[in-house]
Amino acid sequence: VVGPAVGGGVGVGGGVGVGVGVGVGAVVGAGVAVGGGVSTGVGVGLGLSDAAALTVRAAPEAAADPRAAVRATSARARRGRMRGEDSARRAPGPPPRSAGGAGRVLRAVPMPGLDANRPWHHCGAVSDRTPLHPRHLAAGASMVEFAGFEMPLRYSSVREEHLAVRGRAGLFDLSHMGEVRLTGPGAEAAVQLLVANDVSRLAPGAALYGVMCNEAGGIIDDVVVYREEDGFLVVVNAARRAADVEWMRPHLPPDARLRDESDGTALLAVQGPEATATVRGLTALPLDGVRPFHSAPAEVAGIACRLSRTGYTGEDGWELYCAAGRAPELWDALLEAGSSRGLVPCGLGARDTLRLEAGLRLYGQDMDETVDPFSCGLGWTVKLGKGDFLGAARLRRLDPRHPPRRFVGLALGERDIPRHGMAVLSGGVRVGEVTSGGFSFSLGHGIATAYVATGLDPEAPLSVDIRGREAPAVRAPLPFVRRALH
């Protein structure tokens, strides 16, 4: 029901056929409806900012306090298992439709700090789902399609979830990521050829970050490589999984075997100052003995896992790999163990703002197959002295000190929100482009990463063209926010 608010106000209405118009002022653009069940839901109008609208899926039974909804998840999940809702990790199909309207396709606006150019999409019938999909709906998460998966964008607000990870702990579903295992006598030679970093130095249980390059030196994907007891586990980005596997297979030696384990694997992450204390109560593994970028097999809440001290937030934390069918039990156990420590479930929105503050790259925005690792500040992952690898010939012809472009951090004002693709200017002349940008909830002002011309004077004044207005910007060291291990 549309209210008579001036400047794009929208209405708040009750159930079907009943509603009262209430004006809510929009920021810029038209408001859109969020939430609502067929018979009992309530639509709430919000104002659009400058970003494009997102399509989300929200559970109408979500409580005003999202943590209250989370506490009800376990009982719903037990009923769901009886109906077979947790049976498959990636079962494509239309969203569930119930008499109460659960899973209705709704409209919502982007959250502050999110990049409107990110690949958030309509949650349609083609989306794959992780094994935790019923948990997200039961907790009232706003769902978006990301890299072909229907994923939680947020449960409460991006700001609240972001600050929870910085101050306490957050729990993420990362089961859309890809896991590729290489085994056999030629496994190490295969990974050495595929990845620019040097995996020969990895002891069992150790991991490293690296990039896979094409013959032109462009980045096919950024990956984490684990040396395990029987070979190597390569963790790839969800959107690049098919392309990565297609690239890897023809470059394998005859005595190496590749197995894509993504469909049978779930990945959960606990991040933040209280992450270790949360996990410690569920496992007999001495966590203090697991260093950053190391992993170990362990039982967590009675579930076999690969427990890794890694993350994508800039905080200390743990990533837990387990069989897809056990993921709901592990999710429930972690939520319960962390409830007294302030742990909350977190969506992709907070994951994006956290990784930007930590200066971590995002494939598809900060790098792609046209960008070499020196240009995006990842030269430290390139080990030219290890021998031949894909892209090495081209990378050896580049000067790491003077790459084709230079990757920099930018700090802006508290009202200036830079976005991907915006021009970076110096003296009114375009000298670069923003790759990732948003609002830093930790610092209270806009931040961005950008490419600028290699020959640009480091002291040259900079600005970002934000819809025709030059917003002053200064170079800032990466990461924008640094946290020590807790």
Side-chain angles (χ1 to χ4, degrees):
V1 180
V2 178
V6 177
V10 294
V12 178
V16 173
V18 179
V20 178
V22 179
V24 180
V27 181
V28 178
V32 289
V34 181
V38 171
S39 59
T40 59
V42 177
V44 180
L46 298 178
L48 273 174
S49 63
D50 60 305
L54 305 178
T55 299
V56 305
R57 196 178 316 285
E61 70 271 26
D65 177 2
R67 284 168 291 192
V70 170
R71 287 192 290 270
T73 296
S74 296
R76 292 192 186 97
R78 285 191 292 272
R79 295 193 298 270
R81 281 195 293 273
M82 294 176 64
R83 297 192 300 266
E85 291 178 355
D86 296 331
S87 59
R89 176 175 183 230
R90 291 183 172 142
R97 304 284 180 173
S98 72
R104 284 173 57 86
V105 178
L106 307 169
R107 302 285 294 176
V109 298
M111 294 299 99
L114 290 186
D115 195 326
N117 294 309
R118 286 292 302 281
W120 314 114
H121 297 302
H122 174 85
C123 292
V126 297
S127 299
D128 288 335
R129 294 170 176 173
T130 76
L132 295 169
H133 181 268
R135 298 299 199 269
H136 304 319
L137 293 185
S142 295
M143 307 294 286
V144 295
E145 185 182 76
F146 178 78
F149 282 83
E150 190 177 345
M151 299 293 294
L153 173 66
R154 58 179 175 83
Y155 298 83
S156 54
S157 74
V158 174
R159 180 182 184 277
E160 289 177 12
E161 293 166 19
H162 178 111
L163 296 178
V165 173
R166 288 282 181 250
R168 304 185 307 278
L171 176 62
F172 298 83
D173 176 13
L174 308 181
S175 301
H176 61 307
M177 300 289 285
E179 294 84 21
V180 180
R181 187 174 300 279
L182 289 96
T183 58
E188 180 174 314
V191 181
Q192 285 286 75
L193 179 66
L194 292 165
V195 178
N197 211 332
D198 186 2
V199 301
S200 67
R201 61 187 178 87
L202 291 180
L208 57 72
Y209 174 77
V211 295
M212 294 195 300
C213 294
N214 57 28
E215 297 288 7
I219 298 174
I220 290 177
D221 201 1
D222 62 326
V223 299
V224 174
V225 180
Y226 295 86
R227 185 190 285 272
E228 297 187 349
E229 296 75 11
D230 60 346
F232 293 85
L233 179 67
V234 182
V235 182
V236 303
N237 284 298
R240 299 295 294 170
R241 173 188 166 192
D244 288 355
V245 171
E246 183 180 356
W247 173 257
M248 296 164 80
R249 286 196 188 280
H251 293 104
L252 297 180
D255 55 350
R257 296 180 296 276
L258 181 152
R259 185 169 67 252
D260 184 354
E261 299 183 345
S262 307
D263 288 340
T265 304
L267 173 57
L268 283 64
V270 185
Q271 302 282 295
E274 296 290 338
T276 296
T278 297
V279 177
R280 180 178 284 122
L282 298 174
T283 182
L285 181 72
L287 298 185
D288 292 340
V290 182
R291 292 177 291 157
F293 266 80
H294 283 73
S295 70
E299 281 201 357
V300 181
I303 299 166
C305 297
R306 167 68 61 171
L307 192 52
S308 173
R309 199 161 195 170
T310 46
Y312 193 53
T313 64
E315 293 291 334
D316 187 21
W318 301 87
E319 294 182 320
L320 299 87
Y321 300 84
C322 71
R326 304 299 302 275
E329 299 169 65
L330 185 59
W331 177 269
D332 294 345
L334 291 167
L335 279 177
E336 183 176 355
S339 61
S340 63
R341 302 180 182 278
L343 176 143
V344 299
C346 299
L348 294 181
R351 190 168 186 252
D352 192 50
T353 57
L354 289 161
R355 71 91 194 163
L356 177 58
E357 286 188 348
L360 300 175
R361 315 300 190 266
L362 175 65
Y363 193 89
Q365 282 193 191
D366 301 314
M367 54 190 167
D368 56 29
E369 293 191 41
T370 69
V371 177
D372 66 89
F374 299 126
S375 289
C376 65
L378 295 179
W380 59 274
T381 70
V382 177
K383 309 301 181 186
L384 294 173
K386 75 169 185 173
D388 195 29
F389 60 90
L390 295 170
R394 168 61 178 161
L395 295 177
R396 288 191 177 100
R397 294 197 294 271
L398 297 178
D399 182 352
R401 296 167 300 175
H402 299 91
R405 333 176 226 194
R406 196 169 298 281
F407 192 77
V408 300
L410 300 175
L412 292 85
E414 62 182 18
R415 295 184 180 274
D416 299 325
I417 311 298
R419 297 298 188 192
H420 172 79
M422 289 182 173
V424 178
L425 309 174
S426 182
V429 178
R430 184 178 183 127
V431 296
E433 183 175 292
V434 170
T435 59
S436 292
F439 184 80
S440 168
F441 295 112
S442 300
L443 302 175
H445 59 74
I447 58 174
T449 53
Y451 284 118
V452 297
T454 299
L456 182 66
D457 184 346
E459 302 301 320
L462 298 175
S463 62
V464 175
D465 183 348
I466 300 180
R467 297 179 298 280
R469 177 179 62 86
E470 289 192 31
V474 296
R475 293 198 189 199
L478 298 176
F480 297 102
V481 175
R482 187 184 299 273
R483 288 289 186 270
L485 293 182
H486 300 276

